[in-house]
Amino acid sequence: MSGGNTGPVVGARGLGSFLLGIATWIITLLFFFPVFWMVLNGFKEEVDANTDPKLFFDPTLDRFSEVTEDTTGLLSFSEAFANSFWSVLISTIVVMAMAIPAAYALSIRPVEKWRDVLFFFISTKFLPIVAAILPLWIIARDAGLLNTRLVLIILYTAMNLPLAVWMLRSFFNEVPKELIEAASIDGAKISSQIRSVILPIVAPGLAATALLCVIFAWNEFFLAVQLNPVDGTTVPVWVQSNVSSRGNFLAKLSAASTLATLPVVLAGWVAQKRMIRGLAMGAIK
Amino acid sequence: MATTTPTDVIDRSEEIRRIQRKEKWRRRIPLLPALLFTIVVTQIPFLFSLYYSVTEWTIRPARPRTFNGLSNYAELVTNKFFRDALLTSVLMTVSSVLLSLLVGTGLALLLDRKVFGQGFLRTLLITPFLIMPVVASQVWSSQMLSRTFGVVNWLLETVGVDRIEFVSRYPLWSIVLVLVWQWSPFMMLIVLAGLQGQDASVLEAARVDGATSRGIFFQITLPQLRPYLELGLLLGSIYLIQVFDHVEVMTGGRGAANVPYFVYQRSIGGGWSFGQASAFSIVVVVFSIIIATFGLRVLSGLLEGEEAA
Amino acid sequence: MAEVTYKSASRIYPGSEIPAVNALDLEITDGELLVLVGPSGSGKSTALRMLAGLEFVDEGSILINGKDVTLTPPQDRDIAMVFQNYALYPGMTVAENMGFALKQQKVPKEERRRQVEEAARILDLTEYLDRKPKNLSGGQRQRVAMGRAIVRSPQVFLMDEPLSNLDAKLRVQTRTELADLQARLGVTTVYVTHDQVEAMTMGHRVAVLKDGILQQADRPRTLYSEPKNRFVAGFIGSPAMNLFDIDRVDGQLRLGSMTVPLSASTDAALESTSGTSFGFGVRPEHMTLTTEGGLPGEVIVVEELGSEAFIHVKFEHRGSDETIVVRTDGETAIDRGDFVNVTISGPTHVFAESGERIG
C-alpha cells in the first residue's frame, strides 16, 4: 500500500497542488528542526553553542568524546549505556517470550474468554504507574532491589507486556486461518505449525513489536530515576544528570542527547510502517 | 485403533467431555505466564496503595504506620495544591491529546497526497515521537525556548519582539507544546494508516456523483477515519495522563505539577508522607478508570467490528 | 482409496440452536467424486470440514474406510484438502509447499523430491517449482494447491470451492481437467461448490443440502429428472425450472387457464392424496410455443443466446401476473410484445404442499 492514492487524478489544480507540496516540506522541516539543531549543537564548541544561533562553524567531535569519558563523581556514559542496554534487551526478550504464547492463545487458538483477557491486559495500561510507584519502591527496597538492573527489568517487562500482547495479537490475526488448517491437515503438529507456518508470516510483526518495546523501555525515565537513582541507572537519567550540571554546556548536553537518542531513532525509522500497522490496522481491520 | 464395528448408538459423551477439557487447558497454558506476571506486578502494588491510603505514614522522619480511615481522602478535598495539580493534569492531558490529534490529522492529510519525497518526509516527521522525553524536554527548554540561547527567542528579537522566558512564564503551555510536538507524529501515523486503508472506489464513486473535495472529506473520509481517531485518542490518553518526565526536566514541578508529579513530590520526591501520597494516587486511579471505561468502550467497539467482519 | 460414511453426523455451533449440519447420512464409495452443493449457509462447507476434522462432530460419527475418525485430529486422518483461497504457505517455494506434508511424515529428502517432481509433471508445474506463491498467477496457484494434495496420495481428497477464485473461462477449463485428474488417480473425492453447473458437470453423484439437511443425493441425471422435492427442482438446472403454486379444481390441476397434462403415474399418485394446493414445475425445454391452445400470454423478455433462446411469457394465474420461461431454438423469430401460446410437451413435476415430490 502506498500513499497518494486518494488525490484527484483528473482536474487536479497543478499550482495548488504544488503549493501544498511546498507547504508540506516547510512544515516537515520546521517539525524536524529541533532535532536537527540538537545534533548540530553537539558538533559545536561551547562558545558557538552558547550564543545566538549559528548555522556555520568548525565542526568538532570533542563534545562527543568529552561526554563519553569517565568522570569521577559523575555517572559515566558507558555505565549508563550498559545498564540501559541490558535492562532493555533482557526485558524485551522476556516480554516477547511471554507475549508470543499469550497472543497465540488470544488469537489463533483462542481461550474461551479471550476478549476479557485482552481487556485485562489493556486495562493495566490505564493504571497510572504513579499509583504503583510507592509500593514498588517499598517492595524493591525491602527486597534489596533498589539500584539494581533486575528491578528495571521486571518493571519494563510489566510496562511493555500489555502493549506487546495487543500488537502481536493483531499480527497473529493476520495469519489466514486456512493456512493453519492446511498445515494441520498436512500432518503438522502444533510445534511444527508454529515454526514452519506462523512464525515466518508474523516475523516482521515480531520485529516491530520488539522494537516498540525497546523504544519505550530505552526512553523510560520515571521508574529509572525513582528506583535506580545511583547505580544501575540508565541513559535517560544520565542525560538528565548532564542537564543539572549545565552552566554553559549546551554543546556537551547536545552531544549527550544525540548519543542517547540515536539507537532508538534509527530503530524507529526502520520499523515505522510496521509499528503503526500493529498498533492501528490490526485493531481496526 | 482397530476397525470398530459401527453400531448405531455409541455413547461417547464421556470421551468428548474429556477431550474438550484437555483442549481447554491446552489453550490456556500459553496464556498463563503473561497473565500471572501481569497480575502479580501490576495488581499487587495497587492493593498495597489502597491499604497505605488509609494510613498515616511518614517514613522520613520514620514514624509508625497508623490507621487513620479516610482522613487522607478528606485532606484531598481541602488541599489547594492537590486541586491545582488535578486541574493541571486535566488541562495538560486534554489539550495535548486533542491538539496532537488535530496536528497529527493535518500532517497525515498533507502526507497522504502525492508529495515529492513522501517517505523521507514521513521519516523526518515521526522522529519527535522516537526522541527520549528527557531529551525532547531539554532540547526545547534550553535550545528552542530559552531566553538566552533559544532559537525561538532569537527569531522573536530579529522581528522586534522582546525576548520571553517561555518556560517559567508559561510552564504548563510550554510542556503542552513539547507533548504535542512528540505525539502529533504518532497520531499522524495512525491517521495515515486510516487514510491509506480507505476504499478508493468509494472516493471515486463520490467524485463521479459530483461531490466536492470538501464534501468528500467531511462526509466520507472523516466518518471512515473515526475508529482510527478514537484509537489515537485512546492510546494518547493512556500515555499522556502519566506525563512525568517533561514536568521534571522542564520545570522541576514549578508552576506545572500534574497529579503524577505531585504524588512524587509528596512521597519519594521529598515529602515522604506515603499515606497521603497513596490517597492521591488512588484518586488518579479513579480518574483513570473513568477514562478507561470510555476507552474500553472504544476498544470493544473495535473488537466487535472485527468479529462481525 | 477409501469409502467415507457420515452416520447421522451433526454440527451445532456453540450459541446456536439450529444445527449447521443436521443428522447427515451419506455414503461415498471408493473412487467416487461426490459433490456437496447448496446455497450459502446450507452447511456444505461445514460438512466437508467435519470430515477434515476441522469442525467438531457434536452428534453421530464419521468413518473413513470403516474406521471411526470422529475424534481423530486432522493430522491423523490421512486426507488432503484444497482450500477456496488455496492456503499456500507464503514463505515456501512451490516445491516446499508440495513437499510439506511428506516432510511432516519424515519421508526422506530424495523420495520427497521424486514425488514432488512427479506431481509437478502431472500438473505442468515443473518450471515453477522454485517460485514463491506470490509470483504465480491464480490458475498456477490453484494447480499448486492441487499438487499439494496429490503428492500425499491420501485416502480422500477434500475440495472446498477450489475453482471459485478463477475467472469464468479458466474455471470451465479447469473443471474438466480436475474431473479427469480425479478419474485417473481414482481417489475418493468430496467436492464442495455453490455452483450447480459445476456440481452437475463434475459429480459422479451430487448431494444437495439446504439449512443443514440433506435434500437428495443422486446421480446428476436423476437429480435433474426426478428431483425429490421442490427445493431441489428449483436449485438444479439453468435456467431454473418454472415453479408455481397451483390448485386442484374438480380433480384437475389448473395453471392459468390451462389444465395441466399429467402422466398416468402422477395421476394415480394424485388420486391417493387429499388437499387442493400443490406445487407444479416444468422445465423451460419441456414446452413449445404455438399459435393456439395451451396457455395464452404475452412475451415480455427475449434472451437470445444464439443456439437457443429463452422466452419469458407473462400470463394470468389465480388472478395475478406470473412469468414462465420457455426454451426455443435460436432461429425462432419472436419479439417482445408478441402474444403466444405455451404448450407443455415434456415431463412435468408435481409437489405436495410440503414440497415433497408426488410425481
Side-chain angles (χ1 to χ4, degrees), chain C residues 10-21 56-59:
Chain C
S10 294
R11 172 68 178 132
I12 304 153
Y13 284 112
S16 165
E17 297 277 301
I18 307 147
V21 170
F56 208 73
V57 180
D58 293 289
E59 281 162 26

Side-chain angles (χ1 to χ4, degrees), chain C residues 130-172:
Chain C
D130 294 325
R131 289 213 196 160
K132 291 278 175 70
K134 66 168 191 284
N135 299 324
L136 298 175
S137 72
Q140 288 162 346
R141 281 180 208 177
Q142 203 279 330
R143 295 214 300 278
V144 175
M146 281 300 305
R148 202 167 59 178
I150 291 175
V151 162
R152 302 185 44 189
S153 347
Q155 298 214 55
V156 188
F157 280 146
L158 309 183
M159 305 200 185
D160 191 2
E161 311 230 6
L163 305 181
S164 61
N165 279 345
L166 301 178
D167 65 54
K169 199 173 166 192
L170 195 56
R171 189 158 59 221
V172 172

Side-chain angles (χ1 to χ4, degrees), chain C residues 46 57 71 137 247 251 343:
Chain C
T46 309
V57 180
L71 299 175
S137 72
D247 300 321
T343 321

Side-chain angles (χ1 to χ4, degrees), chain C residues 14-233:
Chain C
S16 165
E17 297 277 301
I18 307 147
V21 170
N22 196 346
L24 177 63
D25 272 305
L26 193 58
E27 283 191 33
I28 302 151
T29 57
D30 189 12
E32 183 176 27
L33 198 171
L34 178 108
V35 179
L36 289 171
V37 70
S40 62
S42 60
K44 55 188 188 301
S45 279
T46 309
L48 187 78
R49 293 168 55 83
M50 285 158 77
L51 176 54
L54 299 172
E55 292 286 353
F56 208 73
V57 180
D58 293 289
E59 281 162 26
S61 50
I62 292 178
L63 288 77
I64 297 178
N65 242 0
K67 182 179 139 188
D68 189 326
V69 295
T70 313
L71 299 175
T72 312
Q75 286 91 330
D76 306 326
R77 291 194 182 195
D78 195 17
I79 47 172
M81 185 156 167
V82 178
F83 290 81
Q84 180 169 10
N85 54 11
Y86 316 138
L88 301 179
Y89 310 121
M92 303 182 199
T93 63
V94 168
E96 284 165 340
N97 260 285
M98 286 167 64
F100 184 72
L102 297 178
K103 198 171 166 187
Q104 303 306 313
Q105 294 165 11
K106 310 240 166 9
V107 174
K109 206 171 173 183
E110 275 309 302
E111 173 64 13
R112 225 155 66 202
R113 220 188 62 190
R114 201 189 55 75
Q115 292 190 33
V116 167
E117 279 173 0
E118 167 70 13
R121 198 183 48 75
I122 296 175
L123 290 162
D124 221 0
L125 283 170
T126 309
E127 57 187 304
Y128 306 111
L129 279 176
D130 294 325
R131 289 213 196 160
K132 291 278 175 70
K134 66 168 191 284
N135 299 324
L136 298 175
S137 72
Q140 288 162 346
R141 281 180 208 177
Q142 203 279 330
R143 295 214 300 278
V144 175
M146 281 300 305
R148 202 167 59 178
I150 291 175
V151 162
R152 302 185 44 189
S153 347
Q155 298 214 55
V156 188
F157 280 146
L158 309 183
M159 305 200 185
D160 191 2
E161 311 230 6
L163 305 181
S164 61
N165 279 345
L166 301 178
D167 65 54
K169 199 173 166 192
L170 195 56
R171 189 158 59 221
V172 172
Q173 182 194 334
T174 313
R175 199 160 75 193
T176 38
E177 284 173 8
L178 218 158
D180 177 52
L181 186 67
Q182 194 273 339
R184 268 193 292 155
L185 297 172
V187 176
T188 314
T189 303
V190 184
Y191 187 107
V192 163
T193 180
H194 66 272
D195 178 353
Q196 57 91 18
V197 177
E198 208 169 287
M200 297 291 278
T201 49
M202 294 184 70
H204 301 164
R205 275 193 310 148
V206 176
V208 182
L209 280 100
K210 182 197 169 207
D211 301 334
I213 298 171
L214 178 66
Q215 306 291 315
Q216 186 174 3
D218 260 315
R219 299 180 50 198
R221 188 69 246 170
T222 319
L223 220 50
Y224 190 79
S225 54
E226 288 166 46
K228 270 197 178 144
N229 58 37
R230 194 166 161 170
F231 172 77
V232 176

Side-chain angles (χ1 to χ4, degrees), chain A residues 1 3-4 6 25 31 41 110 112 114-115 129 131 134-135 138 173 219 221-222 226 254 257 269 272, chain B residues 27-28 45 49 57 112 116 122-123 127 130 138 143 181 189 196 238 242 244-245 264 267 288 304 306-307:
Chain A
M1 211 184 329
T6 50
W25 270 86
F31 234 84
N41 274 342
E112 313 101 290
W114 64 268
R115 201 188 291 204
I129 287 181
L134 303 181
I138 288 165
N173 270 353
N219 287 348
F221 172 70
F222 181 66
Q226 300 309 338
S254 296
S257 299
W269 282 352
Q272 49 177 315
Chain B
R27 282 170 184 238
R28 279 177 199 154
S49 276
W57 185 26
D112 189 45
F116 172 72
R122 190 186 54 226
T123 303
T127 311
L130 302 171
Q138 177 275 120
Q143 303 184 29
W181 180 67
L189 283 176
Q196 296 179 350
I238 291 178
Q242 309 220 23
F244 174 87
D245 308 5
Y264 159 76
S267 54
S288 299
E304 296 285 349
E306 180 182 308
E307 208 140 89

Side-chain angles (χ1 to χ4, degrees), chain B residues 63-110:
Chain B
R63 291 207 204 106
R65 185 159 48 200
T66 51
F67 180 75
N68 73 345
L70 293 176
S71 58
N72 286 331
Y73 290 94
E75 156 95 21
L76 290 177
V77 185
T78 53
N79 190 319
K80 178 183 175 305
F81 298 108
F82 177 72
R83 285 205 310 268
D84 286 351
L86 202 60
L87 180 67
T88 306
S89 251
V90 170
L91 282 177
M92 193 184 286
T93 310
V94 171
S95 58
S96 58
V97 169
L98 291 182
L99 284 172
S100 53
L101 198 59
L102 201 68
V103 175
T105 308
L107 292 174
L109 288 171
L110 281 177

